[in-house]
Protein backbone atom coordinates (compact mmCIF):
# COMPACT_ATOMS: atom_id res chain seq x y z
CA UNK A 1 0.00 0.00 0.00
CA UNK A 2 2.80 2.40 0.88
CA UNK A 3 4.51 1.75 -2.46
CA UNK A 4 1.26 2.35 -4.35
CA UNK A 5 0.52 5.66 -2.63
CA UNK A 6 4.13 6.83 -2.81
CA UNK A 7 5.34 5.69 -6.23
CA UNK A 8 2.19 4.88 -8.18
CA UNK A 9 0.52 1.86 -9.69
CA UNK A 10 3.26 0.71 -12.08
CA UNK A 11 5.94 0.56 -9.38
CA UNK A 12 3.48 -1.13 -7.01
CA UNK A 13 2.70 -3.84 -9.57
CA UNK A 14 6.40 -4.33 -10.33
CA UNK A 15 7.04 -4.63 -6.59
CA UNK A 16 4.32 -7.27 -6.21
CA UNK A 17 5.77 -9.29 -9.08
CA UNK A 18 9.28 -8.93 -7.64
CA UNK A 19 8.14 -10.10 -4.21
CA UNK A 20 6.33 -13.02 -5.81
CA UNK A 21 9.46 -14.06 -7.73
CA UNK A 22 11.62 -13.58 -4.63
CA UNK A 23 9.25 -15.83 -2.68
CA UNK A 24 10.80 -18.78 -4.45
CA UNK A 25 14.19 -17.92 -3.00
CA UNK A 26 14.35 -19.13 0.57
CA UNK A 27 14.67 -15.84 2.46
CA UNK A 28 13.06 -16.35 5.90
CA UNK A 29 12.51 -12.60 6.43
CA UNK A 30 10.38 -12.38 3.27
CA UNK A 31 8.03 -15.16 4.36
CA UNK A 32 6.59 -12.92 7.06
CA UNK A 33 4.89 -10.98 4.24
CA UNK A 34 3.47 -14.06 2.41
CA UNK A 35 5.13 -13.09 -0.89
CA UNK A 36 4.05 -16.35 -2.54
CA UNK A 37 0.60 -14.78 -2.96
CA UNK A 38 1.79 -11.48 -4.42
CA UNK A 39 1.56 -12.85 -7.96
CA UNK A 40 -2.22 -13.05 -7.54
CA UNK A 41 -2.39 -9.47 -6.31
CA UNK A 42 -0.23 -8.36 -9.24
CA UNK A 43 -2.43 -10.28 -11.71
CA UNK A 44 -5.52 -8.63 -10.24
CA UNK A 45 -3.93 -5.19 -10.49
CA UNK A 46 -2.92 -5.87 -14.10
CA UNK A 47 -6.42 -7.07 -14.98
CA UNK A 48 -7.74 -3.87 -13.43
CA UNK A 49 -5.29 -1.78 -15.49
CA UNK A 50 -6.60 -3.48 -18.62
CA UNK A 51 -10.20 -2.91 -17.51
CA UNK A 52 -9.54 0.81 -17.02
CA UNK A 53 -7.37 1.43 -20.11
CA UNK A 54 -8.34 -1.31 -22.63
CA UNK A 55 -4.63 -1.58 -23.50
CA UNK A 56 -3.96 -5.19 -24.49
CA UNK A 57 -0.48 -5.18 -22.92
CA UNK A 58 -2.05 -5.12 -19.45
CA UNK A 59 -4.28 -8.09 -20.29
CA UNK A 60 -1.34 -10.10 -21.65
CA UNK A 61 0.77 -9.27 -18.58
CA UNK A 62 -2.16 -10.17 -16.30
CA UNK A 63 -2.64 -13.53 -17.99
CA UNK A 64 1.09 -14.36 -17.82
CA UNK A 65 1.26 -13.30 -14.16
CA UNK A 66 -1.78 -15.44 -13.33
CA UNK A 67 -0.28 -18.38 -15.24
CA UNK A 68 3.02 -18.07 -13.36
CA UNK A 69 1.07 -17.83 -10.10
CA UNK A 70 -0.65 -21.11 -11.01
CA UNK A 71 2.64 -22.77 -11.99
CA UNK A 72 4.34 -21.77 -8.74
CA UNK A 73 1.50 -23.04 -6.55
CA UNK A 74 2.09 -26.16 -4.45
CA UNK A 75 1.92 -29.40 -6.40
CA UNK A 76 -1.80 -30.01 -5.67
CA UNK A 77 -3.14 -30.44 -9.22
CA UNK A 78 -6.77 -29.85 -8.20
CA UNK A 79 -5.90 -26.47 -6.63
CA UNK A 80 -3.81 -25.54 -9.68
CA UNK A 81 -6.64 -26.45 -12.03
CA UNK A 82 -9.16 -24.47 -9.98
CA UNK A 83 -6.84 -21.44 -9.95
CA UNK A 84 -6.32 -21.70 -13.70
CA UNK A 85 -10.07 -21.94 -14.36
CA UNK A 86 -10.75 -18.93 -12.10
CA UNK A 87 -8.02 -16.92 -13.83
CA UNK A 88 -9.51 -17.68 -17.24
CA UNK A 89 -13.00 -16.87 -15.95
CA UNK A 90 -11.71 -13.56 -14.60
CA UNK A 91 -10.15 -12.69 -17.98
CA UNK A 92 -13.32 -13.66 -19.85
CA UNK A 93 -15.46 -11.48 -17.59
CA UNK A 94 -13.20 -8.51 -18.25
CA UNK A 95 -13.23 -8.84 -22.05
CA UNK A 96 -16.70 -10.28 -22.78
CA UNK A 97 -19.91 -8.23 -22.55
CA UNK A 98 -22.13 -11.29 -22.05
CA UNK A 99 -19.97 -12.51 -19.16
CA UNK A 100 -20.04 -8.98 -17.70
CA UNK A 101 -23.83 -8.95 -17.77
CA UNK A 102 -23.84 -12.32 -16.01
CA UNK A 103 -21.75 -11.02 -13.09
CA UNK A 104 -23.63 -7.70 -12.96
CA UNK A 105 -26.41 -9.05 -10.76
CA UNK A 106 -26.85 -6.87 -7.69
CA UNK A 107 -25.74 -9.60 -5.29
CA UNK A 108 -22.51 -10.18 -7.24
CA UNK A 109 -21.81 -6.44 -7.45
CA UNK A 110 -22.40 -6.09 -3.70
CA UNK A 111 -20.11 -9.03 -2.92
CA UNK A 112 -17.47 -7.55 -5.23
CA UNK A 113 -17.75 -4.20 -3.45
CA UNK A 114 -17.13 -5.75 -0.03
CA UNK A 115 -14.78 -8.50 -1.23
CA UNK A 116 -11.46 -7.10 -0.05
CA UNK A 117 -12.47 -6.13 3.50
CA UNK A 118 -14.41 -9.41 3.68
CA UNK A 119 -11.28 -11.27 2.60
CA UNK A 120 -9.23 -9.50 5.28
CA UNK A 121 -11.58 -10.11 8.21
CA UNK A 122 -13.57 -13.24 7.47
CA UNK A 123 -11.40 -16.12 8.62
CA UNK A 124 -10.69 -15.37 12.27
CA UNK A 125 -14.01 -13.62 12.88
CA UNK A 126 -16.10 -16.39 11.33
CA UNK A 127 -14.29 -19.22 13.05
CA UNK A 128 -14.41 -17.46 16.43
CA UNK A 129 -18.07 -16.54 16.12
CA UNK A 130 -19.12 -19.99 14.92
CA UNK A 131 -17.25 -21.66 17.79
CA UNK A 132 -18.78 -19.23 20.32
CA UNK A 133 -22.27 -19.74 18.92
CA UNK A 134 -21.77 -23.50 19.15
CA UNK A 135 -21.08 -23.06 22.87
CA UNK A 136 -23.94 -20.62 23.38
CA UNK A 137 -26.47 -22.66 21.40
CA UNK A 138 -25.46 -26.32 21.63
CA UNK A 139 -28.95 -27.34 20.54
CA UNK A 140 -28.61 -25.67 17.12
CA UNK A 141 -27.67 -27.91 14.18
CA UNK A 142 -24.09 -27.25 13.05
CA UNK A 143 -25.00 -26.20 9.53
CA UNK A 144 -27.11 -23.30 10.90
CA UNK A 145 -24.36 -21.94 13.14
CA UNK A 146 -22.63 -20.05 10.34
CA UNK A 147 -25.56 -17.96 9.07
CA UNK A 148 -25.55 -15.22 11.73
CA UNK A 149 -21.73 -14.89 11.82
CA UNK A 150 -21.61 -14.65 8.02
CA UNK A 151 -24.27 -11.93 8.03
CA UNK A 152 -22.40 -10.04 10.77
CA UNK A 153 -19.04 -10.25 8.97
CA UNK A 154 -20.65 -9.16 5.69
CA UNK A 155 -22.17 -6.18 7.52
CA UNK A 156 -18.80 -5.21 8.98
CA UNK A 157 -17.12 -5.60 5.58
CA UNK A 158 -19.76 -3.29 4.08
CA UNK A 159 -19.10 -0.64 6.74
CA UNK A 160 -15.37 -0.85 6.07
CA UNK A 161 -15.79 -0.65 2.27
CA UNK A 162 -18.43 2.10 2.31
CA UNK A 163 -17.15 4.33 5.10
CA UNK A 164 -13.78 3.43 6.63
CA UNK A 165 -11.82 2.80 3.43
CA UNK A 166 -12.81 6.04 1.64
CA UNK A 167 -12.03 8.06 4.78
CA UNK A 168 -8.68 6.35 5.25
CA UNK A 169 -7.83 6.86 1.56
CA UNK A 170 -8.64 10.57 1.96
CA UNK A 171 -6.37 10.82 5.02
CA UNK A 172 -3.51 9.02 3.23
CA UNK A 173 -3.80 11.35 0.22
CA UNK A 174 -3.78 14.43 2.48
CA UNK A 175 -0.69 13.24 4.34
CA UNK A 176 1.14 12.40 1.12
CA UNK A 177 0.11 15.69 -0.50
CA UNK A 178 1.41 17.61 2.54
CA UNK A 179 4.69 15.68 2.50
CA UNK A 180 5.22 16.24 -1.23
CA UNK A 181 4.46 19.95 -0.80
CA UNK A 182 7.03 20.17 2.03
CA UNK A 183 9.61 18.35 -0.07
CA UNK A 184 8.95 20.61 -3.06
CA UNK A 185 9.18 23.74 -0.90
CA UNK A 186 12.37 22.63 0.84
CA UNK A 187 14.12 22.38 -2.54
CA UNK A 188 13.70 26.09 -3.18
Amino acid sequence: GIIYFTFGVNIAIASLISLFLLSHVQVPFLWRFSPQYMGWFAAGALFYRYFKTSERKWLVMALFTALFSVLFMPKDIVAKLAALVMSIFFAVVIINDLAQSFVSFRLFVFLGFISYPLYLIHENMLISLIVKMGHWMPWMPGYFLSFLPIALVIGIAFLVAAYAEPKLREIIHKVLDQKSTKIANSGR
Side-chain angles (χ1 to χ4, degrees):
I2 292 169
I3 293 170
Y4 170 79
F5 283 106
T6 306
F7 299 106
V9 68
N10 290 340
I11 300 296
I13 292 171
S15 298
L16 289 170
I17 292 170
S18 298
L19 282 170
F20 170 66
L21 294 173
L22 282 171
S23 73
H24 301 288
V25 177
Q26 296 300 323
V27 181
F29 170 75
L30 277 179
W31 284 93
R32 295 181 186 269
F33 301 103
S34 301
Q36 68 274 24
Y37 304 113
M38 298 300 171
W40 294 113
F41 285 101
L46 290 163
F47 277 123
Y48 183 73
R49 290 292 301 230
Y50 171 74
F51 178 74
K52 295 304 269 186
T53 67
S54 297
E55 294 180 38
R56 285 259 191 243
K57 68 179 180 181
W58 299 118
L59 179 62
V60 170
M61 289 178 7
L63 288 168
F64 273 111
T65 304
L67 180 61
F68 278 108
S69 296
V70 168
L71 292 175
F72 284 111
M73 287 176 63
K75 296 189 188 313
D76 179 3
I77 192 70
V78 173
K80 283 185 175 195
L81 186 59
L84 181 62
V85 167
M86 287 307 299
S87 297
I88 292 168
F89 175 75
F90 202 81
V92 168
V93 167
I94 288 176
I95 62 176
N96 184 283
D97 292 339
L98 181 61
Q100 287 174 14
S101 66
F102 173 73
V103 297
S104 295
F105 292 121
R106 281 188 151 169
L107 177 63
F108 293 156
V109 172
F110 174 74
L111 291 173
F113 176 68
I114 67 165
S115 64
Y116 192 65
L118 184 63
Y119 159 74
L120 292 175
I121 65 174
H122 81 281
E123 184 177 13
N124 292 333
M125 288 183 80
L126 279 178
I127 292 170
S128 300
L129 287 169
I130 291 169
V131 168
K132 291 284 186 196
M133 285 187 63
H135 292 304
W136 297 333
M137 298 181 236
W139 45 267
M140 183 170 283
Y143 48 86
F144 284 124
L145 289 175
S146 61
F147 291 127
L148 183 59
I150 288 171
L152 180 64
V153 172
I154 286 173
I156 292 169
F158 171 76
L159 293 173
V160 169
Y163 301 105
E165 182 189 343
K167 191 66 176 169
L168 184 58
R169 184 183 300 263
E170 181 183 311
I171 291 167
I172 290 170
H173 281 296
K174 281 183 183 177
V175 168
L176 289 175
D177 289 345
Q178 289 172 352
K179 291 208 181 285
S180 63
T181 301
K182 285 182 184 178
I183 290 170
N185 291 337
S186 66
R188 292 181 181 173

